[in-house]
Amino acid sequence: MDRDYAQPLDVPALARVALMSPGHFSRSFRAAFGETPYGYLMTRRIERAKALLRRGDLSVTEVCFAVGCSSLGSFSSRFTELVGETPSAYRARDHELGAAIPACFAKMHTRPVRGTRPKL
């Protein structure tokens, strides 16, 4: 899922590879990673979307489709839920301070985490 985040999620196919039923696979995945396979995939997509939006050369719609989302509304809602601001606001913000940080550290710092967004 990390490598093929832009592809559609196929839990039954993943379960077959893991030699499990889809239900058991989903439960085991949640126990191991703390979220459902779909939630994990969306977190990876939002993580990649943040990197593309920081570049600033793609529109929010282009980023939405580039990371594998098929609905701009759903993408924007999930992005806002995980990041705490809309994709447009995130894209418009100055990201110069983070430019000198190595990518591996930036990825750890900017990784969206469900449930940690501050209340406004």
Side-chain angles (χ1 to χ4, degrees), residues 43-54:
T43 302
R44 296 295 74 70
R45 287 177 175 175
I46 298 302
E47 185 176 75
R48 181 64 182 139
K50 287 175 70 176
L52 293 173
L53 290 168
R54 281 193 304 272

Side-chain angles (χ1 to χ4, degrees), residues 1-103:
M1 274 193 277
D2 289 333
R3 183 184 60 229
D4 296 327
Y5 62 86
Q7 300 301 315
L9 177 65
D10 186 358
V11 171
L14 293 170
R16 276 192 301 278
V17 170
L19 302 174
M20 299 178 182
S21 71
H24 184 67
F25 175 80
S26 292
R27 287 187 299 277
S28 298
F29 190 96
R30 185 180 191 100
F33 293 98
E35 58 187 327
T36 65
Y38 179 76
Y40 183 87
L41 177 64
M42 284 306 294
T43 302
R44 296 295 74 70
R45 287 177 175 175
I46 298 302
E47 185 176 75
R48 181 64 182 139
K50 287 175 70 176
L52 293 173
L53 290 168
R54 281 193 304 272
R55 278 188 0 201
D57 61 334
L58 297 174
S59 71
V60 172
T61 303
E62 290 170 323
V63 168
C64 167
F65 294 120
V67 298
C69 295
S70 58
S71 165
L72 182 58
S74 296
F75 168 75
S76 294
S77 295
R78 183 57 65 101
F79 189 97
T80 303
E81 174 189 333
L82 292 174
V83 178
E85 62 185 323
T86 65
S88 298
Y90 185 83
R91 183 180 184 271
R93 197 161 37 91
D94 182 24
H95 297 283
E96 284 297 317
L97 277 176
I101 299 171

